[in-house]
Amino acid sequence: MAESICRALRDGALQGEHAPALTIKDSIASPFGFHVFTHLLTQLSSNILAAKSQSRGLVLVAFSRSPSFYLDLLNRKGIDVASSQKWIEILDCYTDPLGWKDALLASENGGSLSNEASTGASLCRNVKDMDKLYSSIIELGKGIVGQGKVRFCVAIDSVNEILRHASISSVAGLLSNLRSNDRVSSIFWLSHSDLHEDRVTAVLEYMSSMVASIEPQNQSANGRRCNWESLPLLEHNYWKGRFHVRFKRRNGRVRVMSEEFHVEQSAINFRSISSEDEIVNRSLLPKVQFNLQLSEKEQIDRAKVVLPFEHQGTGKPIQIYDGRRSLTDGKSEAEPVSTGILQTNENSSKGEIIYLRDSDDERPDSDEDPDDDLDI
């Protein structure tokens, strides 16, 4: 399932549609959202270098970590950052997000913080200005891919840091503008859902075409009390959890998938949910007053039901009476004819309805138009 997200970010946007967007959300009960973020970052970077992605560049907006951290991370993963072909730009919103350090250095010795910035990173000194932040991201992306129709992807390591300095409406406008830009291939960001109100998380999820949720392995680790005997088990299960992803399709349908993850030495691994866990999850479903499953007896009884469109005879050919007297069978003439139109056969074990014409002048059913001789 994590591979499905990587493929969606790699394939990018279709012509005339918004770029796919991913929200990664975690909580204090399972704070491994950053591990998922770095996993997707490295996978997407590998696809860009191998020319397997729609995007040809990456703009990383760093709020929670320094640019040097990400450069070291990519180098440890075997990704060539210092290649001759420029493919990544880092917008440094971590070093001096409000410009205080630069103003302090300028007042003391007339220096600037630009010399202290990490190599390959561009400083952002006012994260409150969403318009300036948007234009900086677009300019860095165009600097990588150049002019034309070549696209680049955008990664934001923490939306929570932006929400410290701007309203949710401003942040939503920034994300919407990035998605609708025809140069952006895909975008993904990280959000700690328990740091804000539910409406903030709802807005971020509404802006996304994919939502990845990280949940703890067991419910006892989710803020509930536990005894001291269960602490070793909780500590062992702390590094495990469930990874749920909700895909929103273009036709309005929603597809939900789940996986398990395990964190080992700052690396995250994904695997499918075992059959035993599926049985446990099925047993935890709430019981309702109706059952959608059929028992063996109910299936046999349902198979015996003869549907109306099926042949209900006994193997003999069915003769359909069209309302005209049969020339070969004079039984109908011997029987008394009632004045009504319908007559039931009392001798038959089955219910039958026999139709008899009132007179011979009555025209039988025919495909001919009775008003064909009229001149209208």
Side-chain angles (χ1 to χ4, degrees), residues 128-154:
K128 294 182 178 181
D129 190 353
M130 294 292 102
D131 295 333
K132 179 63 176 177
L133 184 60
Y134 170 76
S135 61
S136 300
I137 296 174
I138 299 301
E139 290 175 2
L140 289 177
K142 291 181 178 179
I144 300 173
V145 300
Q147 301 298 327
K149 297 183 179 180
V150 184
R151 296 173 179 260
F152 60 91
C153 56
V154 180

Side-chain angles (χ1 to χ4, degrees), residues 41 43 113 121 152 191 228 264 272 293 337 348:
L41 180 66
Q43 293 293 324
L113 195 61
F152 60 91
S191 173
W228 291 102
E264 294 179 352
S272 59
Q293 304 295 332
V337 179
S348 176

Side-chain angles (χ1 to χ4, degrees), residues 9-291:
L9 297 176
R10 178 198 63 190
D11 297 340
L14 298 177
Q15 186 67 29
E17 296 188 0
H18 288 355
L22 168 66
T23 294
I24 307 170
K25 65 174 187 177
D26 64 355
S27 62
I28 191 62
S30 185
F32 301 110
F34 189 74
H35 293 77
V36 178
F37 178 84
T38 55
H39 173 77
L40 298 177
L41 180 66
T42 54
Q43 293 293 324
L44 187 58
S45 300
S46 301
N47 291 326
I48 292 175
L49 285 177
K52 297 180 180 179
S53 175
Q54 182 190 56
S55 61
R56 291 295 179 263
L58 171 66
V59 177
L60 175 59
V61 186
F63 278 94
S64 62
R65 303 291 194 281
S66 64
S68 59
F69 172 84
Y70 290 105
L71 296 177
D72 295 339
L73 173 67
L74 295 176
N75 287 325
R76 291 197 307 268
K77 297 295 183 178
I79 299 174
D80 186 11
V81 179
S83 59
S84 58
Q85 183 181 1
K86 189 68 174 177
W87 63 274
I88 185 171
E89 285 284 355
I90 301 179
L91 183 59
D92 186 5
C93 300
Y94 173 82
T95 304
D96 192 16
L98 299 177
W100 292 349
K101 296 180 181 179
D102 191 53
L104 182 61
L105 291 175
S107 62
E108 289 182 354
N109 51 16
S112 177
L113 195 61
S114 301
N115 296 330
E116 299 182 8
S118 301
T119 305
S122 300
L123 276 174
C124 178
R125 297 182 177 87
N126 187 11
V127 296
K128 294 182 178 181
D129 190 353
M130 294 292 102
D131 295 333
K132 179 63 176 177
L133 184 60
Y134 170 76
S135 61
S136 300
I137 296 174
I138 299 301
E139 290 175 2
L140 289 177
K142 291 181 178 179
I144 300 173
V145 300
Q147 301 298 327
K149 297 183 179 180
V150 184
R151 296 173 179 260
F152 60 91
C153 56
V154 180
I156 305 175
D157 64 353
S158 178
V159 176
N160 306 92
E161 296 294 333
I162 311 178
L163 291 171
R164 292 178 57 188
H165 309 286
S167 62
I168 181 59
S169 59
S170 301
V171 176
L174 171 66
L175 299 177
S176 178
N177 292 334
L178 290 174
R179 283 199 65 192
S180 59
N181 193 287
D182 57 355
R183 304 300 300 276
V184 176
S185 172
S186 59
I187 178 173
F188 61 100
W189 57 80
L190 173 62
S191 173
H192 306 297
S193 59
D194 51 355
L195 296 182
H196 301 282
E197 299 178 357
D198 293 339
R199 65 180 184 88
V200 176
T201 304
V203 170
L204 296 177
E205 293 182 2
Y206 179 78
M207 301 295 299
S208 311
S209 59
M210 298 174 288
V211 178
S213 305
I214 301 171
E215 297 179 359
Q217 179 75 14
N218 46 32
Q219 296 296 330
S220 59
N222 192 7
R224 298 184 179 181
R225 289 187 177 181
C226 58
N227 51 26
W228 291 102
E229 297 179 355
S230 61
L231 284 179
L233 179 60
L234 292 178
E235 184 179 359
H236 176 72
N237 293 333
Y238 177 77
W239 303 99
K240 299 180 180 179
R242 295 295 175 89
F243 186 62
H244 306 284
V245 180
R246 185 171 72 248
F247 296 91
K248 292 189 245 180
R249 297 183 179 273
R250 293 187 298 273
N251 56 7
R253 295 184 178 180
V254 178
R255 181 166 58 99
V256 180
M257 303 176 64
S258 299
E259 273 184 343
E260 291 182 350
F261 71 87
H262 182 65
V263 178
E264 294 179 352
Q265 298 179 356
S266 71
I268 188 168
N269 300 315
F270 299 93
R271 68 180 181 90
S272 59
I273 299 178
S274 60
S275 58
E276 295 180 359
D277 295 333
E278 291 181 355
I279 295 175
V280 172
N281 292 337
R282 197 177 295 113
S283 64
L284 294 177
L285 292 176
K287 295 183 178 180
V288 294
Q289 299 297 328
F290 56 89
N291 185 15

